[in-house]
Amino acid sequence: LSDYLGGASVAGGKMKEEGFEHWGRPNTGATNESGFTGLPGGYRSYSWGNYDNMGYYGYFWSSTEYGNYNAWHRELNYDYSGVYRFSTNKHYGFSVRCIRD
């Protein structure tokens, strides 16, 4: 998806919902050109069970594992138009987007 949208440095903005109803300012580069309408759901910590970063960051699991304990996720930020890719412990609570074939 990132490649299709022009590369990781601009794909995040094309995946984020426009405006400030859900996103913190400045919501850099947000156009939702892809129709993904990414929202800043934050995450649930596995250590403490608390929620953090809602309104500023969207974390989305990938279906691709990275070893026994980690999996890849994508991250959208309120102040960046790109999309990040990280591996993270599977115990974290991130958002999931389902797709229909």
Side-chain angles (χ1 to χ4, degrees):
L1 181 57
S2 295
D3 291 341
Y4 177 79
L5 295 174
S9 65
V10 296
K14 295 176 181 182
M15 295 170 66
K16 293 190 296 182
E17 175 191 59
E18 289 184 84
F20 309 108
E21 182 177 350
H22 298 106
W23 283 96
R25 294 182 190 275
N27 199 12
T28 304
T31 65
N32 196 32
E33 181 180 319
S34 68
F36 184 81
T37 316
L39 296 172
Y43 71 94
R44 184 194 51 80
S45 169
Y46 84 93
S47 300
W48 304 103
N50 60 307
Y51 287 85
D52 202 5
N53 291 337
M54 287 186 283
Y56 295 95
Y57 299 91
Y59 304 88
F60 298 88
W61 282 120
S62 163
S63 61
T64 307
E65 293 182 311
Y66 185 75
N68 292 328
Y69 303 103
N70 292 346
W72 291 104
H73 80 272
R74 302 290 179 162
E75 181 178 319
L76 303 176
N77 297 335
Y78 75 105
D79 62 351
Y80 180 58
S81 63
V83 59
Y84 293 108
R85 178 180 181 240
F86 297 106
S87 68
T88 303
N89 189 292
K90 295 176 194 176
H91 288 102
Y92 277 90
F94 292 165
S95 298
V96 175
R97 288 292 295 255
C98 299
I99 58 170
R100 186 180 341 166
D101 286 338

